[in-house]
Every structure is written in structure tokens, then in C-alpha cells.
Amino acid sequence: MRHAQSQNYSRALFLHESAHLDASVSDPGTLLGVLHACIESKGLDQGRELHQKIVECAYEEHPSFCSLLVQLYAKCGILEDAERCFLQVERRSLEAWNCLIGLYDYHGRGGEAIQLSQRMCQECLMWNDTTMVSVLCVCTSKHDLVLGKHVHARIGCSTAQHDIIIGTALVNMYGKIGDIDDAQIIFDNMHIRNVVSWSSIIALCTKHGRYKVALQSFETMLQEGVLPNTFTFVSIISTCASQDLSKIGKMFHGRLIGTELEKHPYMANALTNMYGKSGNLNEAESVFNTSYKKDTYSWNMILAAYAEHGKCMDAIKYFHEMMDEGTLPDSSTFVYLLSACANKLVLVDGMNMHMWVTLMGLETDIAVSNTLLNMYGKCNALDVANHLLNDMPEKDVVSWNTLISGHAHNGLGKEAFSIFQQMIQEGMLPNQVTYTCLLDAFKSQDMLAAGIYIHTCAISQLNVVITSALVNMYGKCGSFQRALKVFHGRIVQNVLLWNAMFAVCNQHERGKEALNLFAKMHKDEVIPDNFTFSNILSSCASEEAFNTGKEVHALAIEYGFVQDSVVATALVNMYGKCGSYADALGVFNLVHDRDVILWTSIINVSSENGDGKETIRLLHQMQEAGITPNHITFLSALSACSHSGLLNEGRDCFTSMQQDYSILPTADHYICMIDLLARSGSLTEAEKLMNNMPFQASYVSWTTLLGACKNENDLERGERVGKHLISLYPEKPSAYVVLSQIYTAAGREDDAEALIAQMKERTGITSEINQFQMNAIRKKKLLFLE
DNA sequence: CTAGGGTTAG
């Protein structure tokens, strides 16, 4: 069924249908009327039938018919037919010209659109308002500012100066390809503005980072009595999204709840994005669900919300849901997913996504390839990353930077440097990010020379980030003086540079120097941030400057960082190092939003304070607060248990971390646990754990176990462990000593004596301690003889 | 005449 929407043409359409039945109807008036109706309703099939009829009646070359046919095909987006009809006659209506200009632009053929507009001038055809607007649109899409300004000049002397549509087109032209200030001036000079003009200026302000002006414009628009539409709300919501102004955005959203606007796909997507960015995942999901039409973009927004907030698995779940619903992922989908996999270091899921990328034929997309490179790099699959880069048909500077950064993250400075050299060889120009990534890869003395070389390469384009990377690099590569020199030679004042220098001072145990610089920073009127305080507080800790620490604490309160978890963590650690658990706990208790790092710090401080029961209490409190402990948290807890001999609590921790949190114990966890078991006399369990753990038992754990055997007078195990330890480390004396003590205690003085002799022979040690040991054995021997 | 985002860096 084909119906004209406009009632004006319904009679013509009715006539057309009669005509279809009766081939004899062919009067031009009726046919023109029907053609108008087809244009209005974009009725292509009907239009084609009519075109046939017009040809049969030989009206085809009549200017009116021809112009209308151009309009019909233009409206339906059929460029070839519109073009053919246009070329068929000499004289066309102005609308036909305008339509074809617009159509060329729509098909990305702006050059032909401009040629057409110039032909109009040659043929002495006056442009009307629509022509002006069409040409302005072409200028915008072709980024032709020169022509745009010419058109602007032409408008300036025409009568159309104050037209809303032309004005808005000009605002958009300047806003998108020219100076936003020009756009704003034209907008301000418009006598009348409608919702389209307002929506345009708001969107443009956001695009140029003028968020405040965007928000103010929205208010002014309301004051002037113009009602916002979806375009306006979409723009204002995305302003809020990009500026993390979700509180204001929520207010705007409030006005939309329950209206049709809220369910509009563009609106729902913008809202999902805003809530997603601010981490309000529940709200994001609820808006996502209200949308009445979900496209790839919508799924990308909800998936990105989870991906960007560390919920990689949820993001992957949405990916599968999306495909189950028949929505195809695009390159952005994979960029979000792969970047989540990279951040979470989940190589297996990342590789699975790689498979999907290949299945979807998106492996040639450079953004996707770069994210793949990043994923493999971050997950330490550097061979794969290297192969991937070599196989990429198109590489940009981001590809190289990503690969360098991947090596940097895995501590491979030499490799990063050779990738840089390869990059230069292939003619790729490095940028500031390249230098930052590279400098970040140099972390030890042996990379100092490479660091100095990169310093000379980057010298002409130093920015804040590179400069602080240089300070950091020199610090890590052991040259405090060079770090200081770069810092003093800084061209711009920036808190990041100060923070980098403070960190270097701390690495080099120059806490006093950091404190002096901190005073200088105050004089230079550079505002410290939370990281400044974090650094300075650790300077206090390393200098054991308890009173200075208290002063810095007071200053941090003055700057309003009481609730800041970074500062609070530093304070907890500082008080911990200074031995004041009470002060540390006081700071901790004041913070409302405690993250895993702050919790882990207080747990660690309490553990070092020696009260194991308190540590376990804190751990349980943390779990009740819904914060997930990590492997470091458990290490502190286990260490506390070990020091306080809390065997059951320690066993619980060790089980819970694996069963409840899927954390694989590291060698350190095993050492703590073995230590705890050994000290508590559970030697069988300790030995079993040591033999079953997925690591080579360290010298320390064997020694601990041997020591425990001595304490428990466990001769059989002691002999086994001691001999094993000696076979592993024949050059280390302590196993000989401890085992000999065990032999002595068991009355096997001869074996003890032989062992010490063996030790002397193998290690060449004849220290006083060993002499003392020999004497002890002899004494015991004598006692026994008596 | 107007609207929705992503990879690398501190």
C-alpha cells in the first residue's frame, strides 16, 4: 500500500490510481499533481511508474516535469537518476539545482556540488536562501572555509541576512570548520533564534570545550521561552558526560523522566554514556533499558560503562547478549572490550575477543589493531604483540607507541629502545607520547645512556609530561643530579613536575631535600595536589620526622584533603612507619569512602604493629564493608598471623583468599604460611605445603622449616630438611649450623662435628660463631661422657 | 539549519 501523507495530494494520488487502471489519462495537470504527491511522500515505486508514463506521453523534456523528477529522485537519494533527469533539459527550476547540490553533498561528492553552484552563477541564476544553505553545508562537509567565507560575504549584502536557517547554517559552518568565536558572534547577532539555532550553539560549545557557555546557553534559551527538543537535550547531556557533571545531568534527566524524549534512542544513548562515565552503572542500565530502539551504538555505551569501571566480565556478558539480540558489534565495541581486557590483564578473554575481531573482519581497522597491540602488550604477550605489529598493513604512530608502552610496562627497556630504532628506520616520526612511553621504559642504571640519548631527541619538544618523565627516568636510572637539573631547567610550572621530583627524592632517600623543595613550592605559589601530599608524607616517614609529618598532616587538612584516600593512605603509612598505630587509625576512621588500598594500608600498619587479632578484625571489617581484599591485603594479614602465632586465623586467610576471591597465592604467601605452620609446630603440614607449592621453595622457607625442626626437636625431619637444604645451597653455612644443633640436641655429637667440618671445608668459614658452635658441641659431648 | 564514542602518555 502506498499513500501520500499530505492531504493536499490525496486527490491527485486518487487520480493517479485511476489513471493506472485507465491508460488513456494523460493530461499534464494531473500528472504534475501526482508527481508533487510522490515527492512529498517519497514514494519511489509510484514515482518510477509515473516517470514511465511521463516518458510515454513525451513530457520528459518539459522543464517543469524534468525539475520535479530531479526533486523526486533527490528526495529518495537516487543520485544517478536525479543526475540524468537534470542533464536532460536546458532549463530547470531553482529547486532542481538546489536539490542536486544537496544530493551531491549527501553522497560525499562535494566537489561536484560546488561546481554546480558555480555553474548557476555562470548561467546568471540567482541563488536563493536554500542555495546558500546547501552551499554552506557543502563547505562544512568539505572543510572549505575559504568558500564558506565567500558565501558569508554574499549573504552579508543580500536581504537574507537575518534568516534563522541561513544564520544557523553559518553558525554551524564556523563552529565546525572555523573559529568558534566567529560562530558565537554570528549567533549573538541573530535577531531571531529557534530551537535548532540554540541546539547548534550548545553542541558547538561542547565540541570546543566551552562547557560553561554551553550550560549557560541552555539556561538563556529557556529564559527566552524556547522549548528544548531531543537535539538540545542530547547535546546538553553529552556536555555533562564529557565534563563529569553527572549531578547537573541528572537534573536535566529529571525533566525528561516519563516523557517520550527519554526513550528516544539518541537520548537514551547520551544518558547511558553520561551515567556510565560517572560510574553510576545502575542508572546507566536503567536508561539503556528504556530506549525503544537499541542499535550498535546503544550496546557500545552500556558495554563501555562496565568496561571502563573494571567490570570486564560484565562487559563481555553484554557483548554476547548484544549478538544474541542480533546486533552486530563494530570496531568501537572491540576497542572498549579489548581495552577492558588489557586493564584487567585477562589474556584468555582478550584472545577470545581477537578471534571475534577476525570473524567480523575488523582486524584491518587500525584502532582495533592498536587496542589488540595494547592488550597483548599489557598482558605480557609481547611476542604476539611484535608479530601483530609486523603483520599490520597500516601502522600509525599510536601503533608504535603502544608497542613501546607494552614493553615499558613489562620492564623491557632495551627492547623498547630497539623498537624505537626500528620505528625511526621505517620512517615513522615519533611524537611526544613516543618519548614519554620510552622514558617510562628506562628504569635501571644500565638504561641511563639510552635515557640521555632520548633526552637529546626530545629536547626540542619538551612538555610537562615529557619533562616529568625525564625527572622520573633519571631518578630510576640512578642519576639524582640529572633529575634535579631537568627539574630546575623546567620551562613551565606544574604540580606534576614537583610531584615527580618529590618521588625521586624519596627513591634516593633524600626526604630532607624533598621537604626543602616543598617549602620552595609554597613560595612559588604552586598549589599542591593529593599526590604532592602523598609524596611529602612518605618523605617524612623515611626521615622519621614525626613532628614534620604532623605539620604536613595539618597542612593537608588545610588544603581539604581529609577525605582523600590517596592522602589518607600516605598518612596511615607515615604514622605506621613512625610507630603510632593510634594516629594511623585516627586518620583511617575519618575517611568515608575507603578503597582497597587504604584498607590494605591500615591492615599492613596494624600487622606491623604486632597485634594480629586487631589485623584480623580489620580484615573482617573490610569484607563486611564490601571491599574486595587483594593479594597484598592477604599477605599483610598472613604476616600478622605468622607474627602473632594465630594458626587458625592464618589457615582461614589462606583458604579464603583462594576459595572466596580466586587469588592465587604468590611465593610470599606460601612463605608466610609455611612460617606460621612451622612456628606453630605443625611441621608435617608445613613440609607438605612446601613440597606441593607451585614454586621452588626459597632458601628462607627451607631455613624457617629447619629452624622449626630444631625447636620441635624433630630429628628425622630436621635431618631430611637439613640435608636437602645443604644439597641445594652447599655454600651457605646456616643449614650446617642448625642441623648440627639438631644432632647435638639428639646426642649425635659426632655427626654434628662432622657437619661443621664439612661446612668449613665447603664454605671456608671459620668465624667466631662457628668456633663457638664447635665448643658447644664439645661441651655437650663432655657432659654426655660424664 | 541541529544530536550520540574509542586506542597510546603523568
Side-chain angles (χ1 to χ4, degrees), chain A residues 220-285:
Chain A
T220 319
M221 168 185 171
L222 296 181
Q223 280 162 17
E224 290 192 5
V226 178
L227 279 179
N229 63 11
T230 39
F231 286 85
T232 335
F233 275 113
V234 166
S235 295
I236 205 74
I237 291 293
S238 46
T239 306
C240 297
S242 45
Q243 275 309 89
D244 201 18
L245 299 168
S246 66
K247 276 189 185 156
I248 299 173
K250 215 178 159 81
M251 224 171 57
F252 291 129
H253 182 196
R255 304 189 194 185
L256 301 172
I257 291 176
T259 68
E260 280 303 301
L261 283 187
E262 189 194 17
K263 299 173 190 163
H264 187 283
Y266 268 62
M267 195 66 242
N269 292 344
L271 284 166
T272 310
N273 181 30
M274 181 190 76
Y275 284 122
K277 281 243 170 71
S278 67
N280 192 342
L281 299 178
N282 290 335
E283 202 64 46
E285 186 155 335

Coordinates of all heavy atoms in Angstrom, one line a residue, chain A residues 220-285:
Chain A
T220 N 19.8 30.3 29.1 CA 19.3 31.5 28.4 C 18.1 31.1 27.5 O 17.1 31.8 27.3 CB 20.4 32.2 27.6 OG1 21.6 32.2 28.4 CG2 20.1 33.6 27.3
M221 N 18.4 30.0 26.8 CA 17.4 29.5 25.9 C 16.0 29.3 26.5 O 15.0 29.8 26.0 CB 17.9 28.2 25.3 CG 16.8 27.4 24.5 SD 17.5 25.8 24.1 CE 16.1 25.1 23.5
L222 N 16.0 28.7 27.7 CA 14.8 28.5 28.5 C 14.2 29.8 28.9 O 13.0 30.0 28.8 CB 15.1 27.7 29.7 CG 15.5 26.2 29.5 CD1 15.7 25.5 30.9 CD2 14.5 25.5 28.7
Q223 N 15.1 30.8 29.3 CA 14.6 32.1 29.7 C 13.9 32.8 28.6 O 12.9 33.5 28.7 CB 15.7 33.0 30.2 CG 16.1 32.6 31.7 CD 17.5 33.2 32.0 OE1 18.0 34.0 31.3 NE2 18.0 32.6 33.1
E224 N 14.4 32.6 27.3 CA 13.8 33.3 26.2 C 12.6 32.5 25.7 O 12.0 32.9 24.6 CB 14.9 33.4 25.0 CG 16.0 34.4 25.4 CD 16.8 34.7 24.2 OE1 16.5 34.2 23.1 OE2 17.8 35.4 24.4
G225 N 12.2 31.5 26.4 CA 10.9 30.8 26.1 C 11.0 29.8 25.0 O 10.0 29.4 24.4
V226 N 12.3 29.4 24.6 CA 12.4 28.4 23.5 C 12.4 27.0 24.2 O 13.2 26.8 25.1 CB 13.7 28.6 22.7 CG1 13.8 27.6 21.7 CG2 13.7 30.0 22.1
L227 N 11.5 26.1 23.7 CA 11.5 24.8 24.3 C 12.5 23.9 23.7 O 12.6 23.8 22.5 CB 10.1 24.2 24.0 CG 9.0 24.7 25.0 CD1 7.6 24.0 24.6 CD2 9.3 24.3 26.4
P228 N 13.3 23.2 24.6 CA 14.3 22.3 24.0 C 13.7 21.1 23.4 O 12.6 20.7 23.8 CB 15.1 21.9 25.3 CG 14.2 22.2 26.4 CD 13.3 23.3 26.0
N229 N 14.4 20.5 22.5 CA 13.9 19.2 21.9 C 15.0 18.1 22.1 O 15.9 18.4 22.9 CB 13.6 19.4 20.4 CG 14.8 19.8 19.6 OD1 15.9 19.7 20.1 ND2 14.6 20.2 18.3
T230 N 14.8 17.0 21.5 CA 15.8 15.9 21.7 C 17.2 16.4 21.4 O 18.2 16.0 22.1 CB 15.5 14.7 20.8 OG1 15.1 15.1 19.6 CG2 14.5 13.8 21.5
F231 N 17.4 17.1 20.3 CA 18.7 17.6 19.9 C 19.4 18.3 21.0 O 20.5 18.1 21.3 CB 18.6 18.4 18.6 CG 18.3 17.7 17.4 CD1 17.1 17.4 17.0 CD2 19.4 17.3 16.6 CE1 16.8 16.6 15.8 CE2 19.2 16.6 15.4 CZ 17.9 16.2 15.0
T232 N 18.6 19.3 21.6 CA 19.1 20.1 22.6 C 19.5 19.3 23.9 O 20.6 19.4 24.4 CB 18.0 21.1 23.1 OG1 17.1 21.3 22.1 CG2 18.7 22.4 23.6
F233 N 18.6 18.4 24.2 CA 18.9 17.5 25.4 C 20.1 16.6 25.2 O 20.9 16.4 26.0 CB 17.7 16.7 25.8 CG 16.8 17.5 26.8 CD1 15.5 17.9 26.3 CD2 17.2 17.9 28.0 CE1 14.7 18.7 27.2 CE2 16.4 18.7 28.9 CZ 15.1 19.0 28.4
V234 N 20.1 16.0 24.0 CA 21.3 15.2 23.7 C 22.6 15.9 23.8 O 23.5 15.5 24.4 CB 21.1 14.5 22.3 CG1 22.4 13.9 21.8 CG2 20.0 13.5 22.3
S235 N 22.6 17.2 23.3 CA 23.8 18.0 23.4 C 24.2 18.3 24.8 O 25.3 18.2 25.2 CB 23.7 19.3 22.6 OG 23.5 19.0 21.2
I236 N 23.2 18.7 25.5 CA 23.5 19.2 26.9 C 23.9 18.0 27.8 O 24.7 18.1 28.6 CB 22.3 20.0 27.5 CG1 22.8 21.0 28.6 CG2 21.2 19.1 28.0 CD1 23.5 22.1 28.1
I237 N 23.3 16.9 27.5 CA 23.6 15.7 28.3 C 25.1 15.2 28.0 O 25.8 14.8 28.8 CB 22.6 14.5 28.1 CG1 21.3 14.9 28.7 CG2 23.1 13.2 28.6 CD1 21.2 15.0 30.2
S238 N 25.4 15.4 26.7 CA 26.8 14.9 26.4 C 27.8 15.9 26.9 O 29.0 15.6 27.2 CB 27.0 14.6 24.9 OG 26.4 15.6 24.1
T239 N 27.4 17.2 27.1 CA 28.3 18.2 27.8 C 28.5 17.7 29.2 O 29.7 17.6 29.6 CB 27.5 19.5 27.9 OG1 27.1 20.0 26.6 CG2 28.5 20.6 28.5
C240 N 27.5 17.3 29.8 CA 27.6 16.8 31.2 C 28.4 15.5 31.3 O 29.2 15.3 32.2 CB 26.2 16.5 31.8 SG 25.2 18.0 32.0
A241 N 28.3 14.7 30.2 CA 29.1 13.4 30.2 C 30.6 13.7 30.1 O 31.4 13.1 30.9 CB 28.6 12.5 29.1
S242 N 30.9 14.6 29.2 CA 32.3 14.8 28.9 C 33.0 15.6 30.1 O 34.2 15.6 30.2 CB 32.6 15.4 27.6 OG 31.7 16.5 27.4
Q243 N 32.2 16.3 30.9 CA 32.8 17.0 32.0 C 32.6 16.4 33.3 O 32.9 17.0 34.3 CB 32.1 18.4 32.0 CG 32.8 19.4 31.0 CD 34.3 19.4 31.3 OE1 35.0 18.7 30.6 NE2 34.8 20.3 32.1
D244 N 32.1 15.2 33.3 CA 31.8 14.5 34.6 C 30.9 15.4 35.5 O 31.0 15.5 36.7 CB 33.1 14.2 35.3 CG 32.9 13.1 36.3 OD1 31.8 12.4 36.2 OD2 33.7 12.9 37.2
L245 N 29.9 16.0 34.8 CA 28.9 16.8 35.6 C 27.6 16.0 35.7 O 26.5 16.5 35.4 CB 28.6 18.1 34.8 CG 29.8 19.0 34.6 CD1 29.5 20.1 33.6 CD2 30.3 19.7 35.9
S246 N 27.7 14.8 36.2 CA 26.6 13.9 36.2 C 25.5 14.4 37.2 O 24.3 14.1 37.0 CB 26.9 12.5 36.6 OG 27.4 12.4 37.9
K247 N 25.9 15.3 38.2 CA 24.9 15.8 39.1 C 23.9 16.7 38.3 O 22.7 16.7 38.4 CB 25.5 16.5 40.2 CG 25.9 15.6 41.3 CD 26.4 16.3 42.6 CE 26.9 15.3 43.6 NZ 27.8 15.9 44.5
I248 N 24.5 17.7 37.5 CA 23.7 18.6 36.7 C 22.9 17.8 35.6 O 21.7 18.0 35.4 CB 24.6 19.6 36.0 CG1 25.4 20.4 37.1 CG2 23.8 20.5 35.1 CD1 26.4 21.4 36.5
G249 N 23.6 16.8 35.0 CA 23.0 16.0 34.0 C 21.8 15.2 34.6 O 20.8 15.1 33.9
K250 N 21.9 14.8 35.8 CA 20.8 14.0 36.5 C 19.6 15.0 36.6 O 18.5 14.5 36.4 CB 21.3 13.6 37.8 CG 20.7 12.3 38.3 CD 21.3 11.9 39.7 CE 20.4 10.9 40.4 NZ 20.5 9.5 40.0
M251 N 19.9 16.3 36.8 CA 18.8 17.2 37.0 C 18.1 17.4 35.6 O 16.8 17.4 35.6 CB 19.4 18.6 37.3 CG 18.7 19.4 38.4 SD 19.8 20.8 38.8 CE 20.0 21.6 37.2
F252 N 18.8 17.5 34.5 CA 18.2 17.6 33.2 C 17.4 16.3 32.9 O 16.3 16.4 32.4 CB 19.3 17.8 32.1 CG 19.9 19.1 32.2 CD1 21.3 19.2 32.2 CD2 19.2 20.3 32.2 CE1 22.0 20.4 32.2 CE2 19.8 21.5 32.2 CZ 21.2 21.6 32.2
H253 N 18.0 15.2 33.3 CA 17.3 13.9 33.1 C 16.0 13.9 33.8 O 15.0 13.4 33.3 CB 18.2 12.8 33.6 CG 17.7 11.4 33.4 ND1 18.1 10.3 34.0 CD2 16.6 11.0 32.6 CE1 17.4 9.3 33.6 NE2 16.5 9.7 32.8
G254 N 16.0 14.5 35.0 CA 14.8 14.5 35.8 C 13.6 15.1 35.1 O 12.5 14.7 35.2
R255 N 13.9 16.2 34.2 CA 12.9 16.8 33.5 C 12.3 15.9 32.4 O 11.2 16.1 31.9 CB 13.4 18.1 32.8 CG 14.0 19.1 33.7 CD 14.3 20.3 33.0 NE 15.2 21.2 33.7 CZ 15.5 22.4 33.3 NH1 15.1 22.9 32.2 NH2 16.3 23.1 34.1
L256 N 13.1 14.9 32.0 CA 12.7 14.0 30.9 C 12.0 12.7 31.3 O 11.3 12.1 30.5 CB 13.9 13.6 30.1 CG 14.8 14.7 29.5 CD1 16.0 14.1 28.9 CD2 14.0 15.4 28.4
I257 N 12.2 12.4 32.6 CA 11.7 11.1 33.0 C 10.2 10.9 32.8 O 9.4 11.8 33.1 CB 12.0 10.8 34.5 CG1 13.5 10.7 34.7 CG2 11.3 9.6 35.1 CD1 14.0 10.5 36.1
G258 N 9.9 9.8 32.1 CA 8.5 9.5 31.9 C 8.0 10.1 30.5 O 6.9 9.8 30.1
T259 N 8.8 11.0 29.9 CA 8.4 11.5 28.6 C 8.9 10.6 27.5 O 9.7 9.8 27.7 CB 9.0 12.9 28.4 OG1 10.4 12.8 28.3 CG2 8.6 13.9 29.6
E260 N 8.4 10.9 26.3 CA 8.8 10.1 25.2 C 10.3 10.5 24.8 O 11.0 9.6 24.3 CB 7.9 10.5 23.9 CG 6.6 9.7 24.0 CD 6.8 8.2 24.0 OE1 7.4 7.6 23.1 OE2 6.3 7.6 25.0
L261 N 10.7 11.7 25.2 CA 12.1 12.1 24.9 C 13.1 11.2 25.5 O 14.1 10.8 24.8 CB 12.3 13.5 25.4 CG 11.7 14.8 24.7 CD1 12.3 16.0 25.4 CD2 12.1 14.7 23.3
E262 N 12.8 10.7 26.7 CA 13.7 9.9 27.4 C 14.0 8.6 26.7 O 15.1 8.0 26.7 CB 13.2 9.6 28.8 CG 14.2 8.9 29.7 CD 13.5 8.3 30.9 OE1 12.3 8.1 30.9 OE2 14.3 8.0 31.9
K263 N 13.0 8.1 26.0 CA 13.1 6.8 25.3 C 13.7 6.9 23.9 O 14.0 5.9 23.3 CB 11.7 6.1 25.2 CG 11.2 5.9 26.6 CD 9.8 5.3 26.5 CE 9.1 5.3 27.8 NZ 7.6 5.2 27.7
H264 N 13.9 8.2 23.4 CA 14.4 8.4 22.1 C 15.8 7.7 22.1 O 16.6 8.0 23.0 CB 14.5 9.8 21.8 CG 14.9 10.1 20.4 ND1 16.2 10.0 20.0 CD2 14.2 10.5 19.3 CE1 16.3 10.3 18.7 NE2 15.1 10.6 18.3
P265 N 16.1 6.9 21.1 CA 17.4 6.2 21.0 C 18.6 7.1 21.3 O 19.5 6.8 22.1 CB 17.5 5.6 19.6 CG 16.1 5.6 19.2 CD 15.3 6.7 19.9
Y266 N 18.7 8.3 20.6 CA 19.8 9.2 20.8 C 19.9 9.7 22.2 O 21.0 9.8 22.8 CB 19.7 10.4 19.8 CG 20.4 10.2 18.5 CD1 20.0 9.2 17.7 CD2 21.5 11.0 18.1 CE1 20.6 8.9 16.5 CE2 22.1 10.8 16.9 CZ 21.7 9.8 16.1 OH 22.3 9.6 14.9
M267 N 18.7 10.0 22.8 CA 18.7 10.5 24.1 C 19.1 9.4 25.1 O 20.0 9.7 26.0 CB 17.2 10.9 24.4 CG 17.0 11.7 25.6 SD 17.7 13.3 25.4 CE 18.9 13.3 26.7
A268 N 18.6 8.2 25.0 CA 18.9 7.1 25.9 C 20.4 6.8 25.8 O 21.1 6.6 26.8 CB 18.1 5.9 25.5
N269 N 21.0 6.9 24.6 CA 22.4 6.6 24.4 C 23.2 7.7 25.1 O 24.2 7.3 25.8 CB 22.8 6.6 22.9 CG 22.1 5.4 22.2 OD1 21.7 4.5 22.9 ND2 22.1 5.4 20.9
A270 N 22.8 8.9 25.0 CA 23.6 10.0 25.6 C 23.5 9.9 27.1 O 24.5 10.1 27.8 CB 23.0 11.4 25.2
L271 N 22.3 9.5 27.6 CA 22.2 9.3 29.1 C 23.0 8.1 29.6 O 23.6 8.2 30.6 CB 20.7 9.2 29.4 CG 19.9 10.5 29.4 CD1 18.4 10.1 29.4 CD2 20.2 11.4 30.6
T272 N 22.9 7.0 28.8 CA 23.7 5.8 29.2 C 25.2 6.2 29.3 O 25.8 5.8 30.2 CB 23.5 4.7 28.2 OG1 22.1 4.5 27.9 CG2 24.1 3.4 28.7
N273 N 25.6 6.9 28.3 CA 27.0 7.4 28.3 C 27.4 8.2 29.5 O 28.4 8.0 30.2 CB 27.3 8.2 27.0 CG 28.7 8.6 26.9 OD1 29.6 7.9 27.4 ND2 28.9 9.7 26.2
M274 N 26.5 9.2 29.8 CA 26.7 10.1 31.0 C 26.8 9.3 32.3 O 27.8 9.4 33.0 CB 25.7 11.2 31.1 CG 25.9 12.1 32.2 SD 24.6 13.2 32.5 CE 23.4 12.1 33.3
Y275 N 25.8 8.5 32.5 CA 25.8 7.7 33.8 C 27.0 6.7 33.8 O 27.6 6.5 34.8 CB 24.5 7.0 33.9 CG 23.4 7.9 34.4 CD1 22.2 8.1 33.6 CD2 23.5 8.7 35.6 CE1 21.2 9.0 34.0 CE2 22.5 9.6 36.0 CZ 21.4 9.7 35.2 OH 20.4 10.6 35.6
G276 N 27.2 6.1 32.6 CA 28.3 5.2 32.5 C 29.7 5.8 32.9 O 30.4 5.3 33.6
K277 N 29.9 7.0 32.3 CA 31.2 7.7 32.6 C 31.3 8.0 34.1 O 32.4 7.9 34.6 CB 31.2 9.0 31.8 CG 31.5 8.8 30.3 CD 32.9 9.6 30.0 CE 33.3 9.2 28.6 NZ 32.5 9.8 27.6
S278 N 30.2 8.4 34.7 CA 30.4 8.7 36.1 C 30.3 7.5 37.0 O 30.3 7.6 38.3 CB 29.3 9.7 36.5 OG 28.0 9.1 36.5
G279 N 30.2 6.3 36.4 CA 30.3 5.1 37.2 C 28.9 4.7 37.9 O 28.9 3.8 38.7
N280 N 27.9 5.4 37.5 CA 26.6 5.1 38.0 C 25.9 4.0 37.1 O 25.1 4.3 36.3 CB 25.7 6.3 38.1 CG 24.4 6.2 38.9 OD1 24.0 5.0 39.1 ND2 23.8 7.2 39.3
L281 N 26.4 2.8 37.4 CA 26.1 1.7 36.4 C 24.6 1.3 36.5 O 24.0 0.9 35.5 CB 27.0 0.5 36.7 CG 28.5 0.8 36.5 CD1 29.3 -0.4 36.8 CD2 28.8 1.3 35.1
N282 N 24.0 1.4 37.7 CA 22.6 1.0 37.8 C 21.7 1.9 36.9 O 20.9 1.5 36.2 CB 22.1 1.1 39.2 CG 22.8 0.0 40.0 OD1 23.1 -1.1 39.5 ND2 22.9 0.2 41.3
E283 N 22.0 3.3 37.1 CA 21.3 4.3 36.3 C 21.5 4.1 34.8 O 20.6 4.2 34.1 CB 21.7 5.6 36.8 CG 20.7 6.8 36.6 CD 19.4 6.6 37.4 OE1 19.5 6.2 38.6 OE2 18.3 6.7 36.8
A284 N 22.7 3.8 34.5 CA 23.1 3.6 33.1 C 22.3 2.5 32.5 O 21.7 2.6 31.4 CB 24.6 3.4 32.9
E285 N 22.2 1.4 33.2 CA 21.5 0.3 32.8 C 20.0 0.5 32.7 O 19.3 0.1 31.7 CB 21.7 -0.9 33.7 CG 21.1 -2.2 33.2 CD 21.8 -3.4 33.8 OE1 23.0 -3.3 34.1 OE2 21.2 -4.4 33.8

